[in-house]
Amino acid sequence: MRSAQELQVLSKKDDSILLEASWGILNATQTRESWQSLSIQFNCKNSSLDATLLGEKDSIYLVKIVNGSMEVAEPDSFGSPKQFQFLLQCLQMTATIKADQSLLVTLIVPLQEGYIVRSDIIPLRLRDSEYFEVAVSFAEPLQQYPGREQSLDDRADIATSFSAAAAGLILRRIPGSILSNRETTLSISVESDLDNRLSLPWITPGTPTAKTLVLVDANSSHPEDGLGLYMAAKALGINVVVLENSGSWLEKEEHAHWRDAFIPTRLTNPPQADVGDHIVKSVLAYGKPVDGIVTFADSFWPYIAEIAPQLGLKTASPQAFKTATNKYLTSKFVGHNAYNGFSLDDALGIVSQHQLQYPLVIKPCDGWSSEGVSRIDSVEYLTDAVRAIDSSRHGTEFVIEEYCEGPEVDINFILLDGEILFFEVCDDFPKSADINGQSVGSLTNFHELNSVYPSILPHQEIELLRDSFLDTLLKLGIKDGIMHLEGRVQDSTVEYKMKNGVVDLVAAEDQSKEPKAWLIEINPRPLGMTGSYVVESTHGIDYWGVALALAVGDKERVRVLSQPFKAGPQYTCVMVFIPVDYPISSQGIFDSDDVCADLKERRPDLAKQISRSACLIKKGQQVPHPSTGRNTFLAYFNVFSREGRQRALELANEVRAEVRYSFI
């Protein structure tokens, strides 16, 4: 460490010394073109600090001691309240460590002149890093940086270094370790991790321009459900104009900071024929220029595409979206033997007239979350399957087609001008209605169970899915957007079987046929918020942020934000879905507290392997039974392992088995 400089935290009440610490630059990178990392070491000399005082800035002041001279360090000299608060956090943590230990901190300093691609890009890319316990962004949306390298000599000033930084990182502390035993190894590993995660050009040359985006449908019924979208908009500096029915949480003044405007707009789902007129009136009522329009409720897209030219905006054609968002039209477009109907009599007539062979699949044409999707193995099940479609949510139109036996996948594209910027596949494990699936309670519908990222399908089959589904999108005329497709590989060379105690893909016994890509559905949007979290942590890409940048035509930032980690996925991640299941005789009232918090408290070993989780139902809430056609998730857990897929699946099984809940 270069020569240490002293810091003191003093009480404004009586000038008593609450903390004496030293800091110094351990090293700094000089080889990168666009950013510099400053590695700083904090040591505690003595402390009587009450940690709560660091949150009361009016009760303390900070003194720098340089060459024997004392100088009060004004909070403003650190650049912003964010930088100063981070320093106080570092000092608070320093006060808790032993005299022979150190707190290691890394500051990330931009060396390139320009603006930050999104203000939270560094914490976003560092999620679940092995090396960093804390990652804090100091940046404001669209903040510009001069790109000046920091001095590395003994005269380096802590305030100057902090004020130049875009983010601060605190290294994960290892109990019982001392710096001298791990400094060299840590330095190499940390720098390698940073190079991998921050390999994208996160400082963009030029002067940023604020954009305004119209969002049709608020995308969530409560702030707990959907803040991720609005947080991404904030970080990108995109103003959001929300078009939604009156009464939404976003209409309330307490949530006004999440949007530029809220315009009450009559929206129904399924949409009524005049919804486009309502959208146009609302946008014109806003009275200011807008740069784009977007929805994440698939059924609105055909109507938005029809009225977009009136607003001077571009989208794919109405017919492209009509075909993509209607499961019958999608199946016919790709050549499936598909039939649509509107009643039980229609369904019985279709099966009889066309002498369809079982198994079959029936699903609503305007559906989501696999609701109303049933596998039919004989005519006796057809009546229940039709009645399981909730027409109030999905309309009366349904499609009947053959069931594909192959392994199911989710396929996600980021497209720009017809070019694939990013593409990934996840293995969507057998659902509750699949023959080879695991038995989960009494569920017989297509409820999600496990989704595993990344896929281990053979490379040739992944290429087959990519090329086939891209061809379908381009033929439809869809060249831009984040496209979430679901499909299967018919006659795949792999199949699901029990392997080493877990169900996973293994070589199929029959490999005599040529694999074919089987498209199930197209969703012109990112996968759900919870699913997108897996992609964000596994690959470093936030689909929702990219979708917003795409919607306002910010192609430069789209290209930057679509770049994954340089070294590939950081781990195997399993999204474990916990579906609601209870006896049909029950009242269906949830009678437990937060099942995720409960599991983590009981099993701290498992908690360490959970990236994100959420309990989606509150105690006392009445929940529809799955037999009503509603697929309701009780909770989800994103479970990861760096040891490999086998270990990730084992952990996922443990998590599922440890969930405790009850209904009355």
Side-chain angles (χ1 to χ4, degrees), residues 91 106 129 131 138 150 192 194 251 253-254 264 278 298 300 323 418 448 451 473 482 515 531 545 553 588 609 628:
L91 292 175
T106 298
S129 168
Y131 303 105
F138 306 146
Q150 288 303 290
S192 176
L194 288 173
E251 189 174 14
E253 190 61 30
E254 63 196 89
H278 296 305
D298 301 346
F300 290 119
T323 301
E448 307 277 357
S451 293
L473 293 172
I482 296 183
Q609 304 301 134
T628 63

Side-chain angles (χ1 to χ4, degrees), residues 163-462:
S163 63
L169 319 173
I170 300 177
L171 270 71
R172 198 174 300 280
R173 289 176 290 177
I174 303 174
S177 66
I178 59 176
L179 182 63
S180 59
N181 289 344
R182 63 191 183 106
E183 178 181 341
T184 302
T185 302
L186 256 184
S187 178
I188 295 172
S189 299
V190 165
E191 292 303 314
S192 176
D193 193 49
L194 288 173
D195 283 333
N196 173 43
R197 294 171 182 273
L198 302 182
S199 56
L200 73 174
W202 51 274
I203 296 294
T204 301
T207 302
T209 303
K211 303 281 188 177
T212 299
L213 176 65
V214 174
L215 172 63
V216 179
D217 185 275
N219 199 53
S220 63
S221 57
H222 192 277
E224 291 182 5
D225 302 330
L227 273 183
L229 168 65
Y230 299 95
M231 292 172 68
K234 280 282 187 185
L236 288 162
I238 294 176
N239 301 315
V240 179
V241 178
V242 180
L243 275 53
E244 179 58 278
N245 291 295
S246 184
S248 166
W249 63 274
L250 279 159
E251 189 174 14
K252 298 177 180 178
E253 190 61 30
E254 63 196 89
H255 299 300
H257 59 285
W258 291 115
R259 38 75 175 179
D260 187 61
F262 180 93
I263 303 178
T265 307
R266 186 171 179 270
L267 302 176
T268 62
N269 203 354
Q272 296 184 349
D274 61 350
V275 68
D277 295 334
H278 296 305
I279 293 171
V280 171
K281 290 178 182 177
S282 292
V283 176
L284 295 178
Y286 175 60
K288 302 176 187 177
V290 298
D291 299 288
I293 187 168
V294 73
T295 186
F296 299 108
D298 301 346
S299 53
F300 290 119
W301 264 122
Y303 303 92
I304 290 173
E306 285 181 356
I307 57 91
Q310 298 178 48
L311 303 172
L313 303 173
K314 293 182 179 181
T315 69
S317 72
Q319 187 57 49
F321 283 124
K322 184 178 180 181
T323 301
T325 59
N326 181 293
K327 292 177 176 56
Y328 167 68
L329 295 179
T330 299
S331 291
K332 293 296 289 184
F333 188 83
V334 296
H336 294 175
N337 292 322
Y339 308 87
N340 72 323
F342 299 85
S343 67
L344 176 59
D345 287 342
D346 287 347
L348 292 169
I350 289 168
V351 173
S352 173
Q353 178 183 348
H354 298 282
Q355 298 182 343
L356 300 184
Q357 300 298 307
Y358 298 101
L360 300 169
V361 168
I362 186 170
K363 54 190 174 184
C365 291
D366 179 20
W368 58 84
S369 297
S370 298
E371 289 190 1
V373 182
S374 299
R375 170 178 167 146
I376 307 167
D377 288 289
S378 66
V379 71
E380 289 78 17
Y381 293 102
L382 190 56
T383 299
D384 289 341
V386 174
R387 290 175 177 168
I389 297 174
D390 187 341
S391 60
S392 67
R393 288 165 63 80
H394 304 294
T396 58
E397 185 182 15
F398 56 78
V399 57
I400 297 177
E401 62 183 346
E402 67 178 289
Y403 170 80
C404 178
E405 295 280 359
E408 186 168 345
V409 290
D410 283 353
I411 307 99
N412 299 301
F413 293 88
I414 300 178
L415 295 180
L416 182 63
D417 297 329
E419 176 189 354
I420 298 176
L421 299 186
F422 179 69
F423 165 79
E424 50 91 12
V425 179
C426 97
D427 292 324
D428 211 354
F429 268 42
K431 295 181 172 63
S432 43
D434 286 318
I435 284 180
N436 292 325
Q438 295 169 287
S439 175
V440 179
S442 61
L443 301 181
T444 58
N445 54 4
F446 281 83
H447 222 317
E448 307 277 357
L449 297 178
N450 284 348
S451 293
V452 185
Y453 299 75
S455 172
I456 59 164
L457 282 175
H459 181 67
Q460 296 87 341
E461 294 184 16
I462 288 178

Side-chain angles (χ1 to χ4, degrees), residues 20-96:
E20 286 186 291
S22 63
W23 75 279
I25 296 176
L26 281 172
N27 53 58
T29 55
Q30 297 174 296
T31 56
R32 303 186 184 103
E33 293 183 3
S34 59
W35 56 276
Q36 174 187 33
S37 63
L38 298 180
S39 182
I40 296 175
Q41 173 183 336
F42 286 90
N43 291 91
C44 180
K45 298 180 68 175
N46 60 73
S47 174
S48 59
L49 179 68
D50 179 356
T52 60
L53 288 176
L54 289 179
E56 302 172 6
K57 299 175 190 175
D58 294 337
S59 301
I60 60 165
Y61 57 91
L62 189 65
V63 170
K64 298 183 290 184
I65 303 175
V66 183
N67 297 325
S69 299
M70 300 181 67
E71 176 186 341
V72 175
E74 297 293 344
D76 291 348
S77 68
F78 289 84
S80 77
K82 292 180 182 179
Q83 273 103 322
F84 187 66
Q85 189 58 49
F86 179 73
L87 174 62
L88 295 183
Q89 182 179 5
C90 294
L91 292 175
Q92 180 179 343
M93 295 177 71
T94 299
T96 66

Side-chain angles (χ1 to χ4, degrees), residues 576-611:
V576 180
F577 300 93
I578 309 298
V580 166
D581 189 24
Y582 58 84
I584 192 69
S585 58
S586 169
Q587 299 177 54
I589 298 174
F590 187 57
D591 193 38
S592 298
D593 293 317
D594 187 323
V595 299
C596 301
D598 171 68
L599 182 146
K600 291 177 182 179
E601 184 178 355
R602 288 186 288 106
R603 292 292 305 273
D605 57 322
L606 290 179
K608 295 177 182 178
Q609 304 301 134
I610 296 172
S611 174

